[in-house]
Amino acid sequence: QSEPAVTSSLRLLLIGPPGAGKGTQAARLSETYGIPAISTGDIFRENVKNGTELGVKAKEYMDAGQYVPDSLTNDLVRDRLSQPDVVDGFLLDGYPRTLQQVEELDDILGANASSLDAVIVLTADTEEVVSRLLKRSAEQGRSDDTEEVIRHRLDVYAEQTAPLIDVYAGRGLVVNVDGLGEIDEVTGRIIAALASR
Ligand code: B4P
């Protein structure tokens, strides 16, 4: 895997079905490019753990495999993107997930809406992601990783999030990356795909 040039001000989005490896790759890309990875899923789980008001509300949806309502999610991202550490770039992991969230992100970025560099779409087939998430369930016991909830999350992704890919493709931003294979291999593919843009 080749060393990427240090690129400043990269603004990336990472989209993919549950279990495609978003969180896994986000951490690596954050380190490679020196930009913060912002995962709405992690922020919700942190709030659940700390028993905040947001956490109590979010848990109900997450445990059922539903998306947390746009209003709550958008406020959280608006707040996070107002922090000083994002001025030199960021990677949003798992946001936006609905068309309404796309509009909100455009609004948050304002005049910078055209400054997104790429939308990485990680692909993985259903049986592979179900098997990964069941394995994680056995290891970490996440409450939204039961088989029934996983299948529901996949349906929600297909209905609500997959249409976003067309929107970003229309803006010429989509970079499709095969999420199957070793974790390092997938990271290498993403870096190569971004470098060849
Ligand atoms: P997320 O935290 O984003 O959870 P996820 O979709 O399951 O992806 P995650 O990043 O955890 O898994 P990954 O694919 O990396 O969201 C959880 C919930 O939060 C949502 O269902 C929703 O309720 C809520 N939420 C979050 N954002 C929201 C938004 N914008 N709007 C509304 N609601 C929102 O990895 C899965 C497993 O695969 C791991 O165990 C990993 O180790 C393994 N893995 C990764 N890569 C692999 C590889 N190459 N080979 C083998 N295994 C691999």
Side-chain angles (χ1 to χ4, degrees), residues 19-23 40 45 66 68 94 97 101 136 142 153 181:
K22 297 186 299 294
T40 41
R45 278 186 291 281
Q66 304 284 5
V68 177
R97 263 174 155 102
Q101 292 181 14
R136 178 170 71 185
R142 234 172 76 170
R153 284 161 62 202

Side-chain angles (χ1 to χ4, degrees), residues 16-25 39-42 44-45 58 61-62 65-70 73 93-98 101 128 132-133 135-136 139-140 142 144-145 153 179-183 186:
K22 297 186 299 294
T24 308
Q25 297 301 331
S39 158
T40 41
D42 282 351
F44 286 134
R45 278 186 291 281
Y61 296 96
M62 293 169 82
Q66 304 284 5
Y67 286 163
V68 177
D70 286 334
T73 311
D93 158 18
Y95 182 94
R97 263 174 155 102
T98 65
Q101 292 181 14
E128 169 72 13
R132 285 182 188 179
L133 294 174
K135 183 162 173 259
R136 178 170 71 185
E139 289 163 1
Q140 299 173 19
R142 234 172 76 170
D144 56 350
D145 279 346
R153 284 161 62 202
L180 293 187
E182 294 296 321
I183 289 170
V186 178

Side-chain angles (χ1 to χ4, degrees), residues 24-93:
T24 308
Q25 297 301 331
R28 288 157 163 258
L29 297 173
S30 163
E31 197 166 323
T32 301
Y33 296 116
I35 51 177
I38 301 168
S39 158
T40 41
D42 282 351
I43 298 172
F44 286 134
R45 278 186 291 281
E46 192 60 26
N47 276 275
V48 171
K49 198 172 98 194
N50 295 332
T52 67
E53 196 183 328
L54 174 65
V56 171
K57 286 184 191 151
K59 186 175 190 318
E60 196 187 314
Y61 296 96
M62 293 169 82
D63 285 355
Q66 304 284 5
Y67 286 163
V68 177
D70 286 334
S71 55
L72 296 175
T73 311
N74 288 335
D75 283 354
L76 170 124
V77 173
R78 185 176 284 278
D79 180 59
R80 182 62 186 83
L81 288 180
S82 71
Q83 305 297 313
D85 64 329
V86 304
V87 294
D88 290 327
F90 55 81
L91 167 67
L92 278 174
D93 158 18

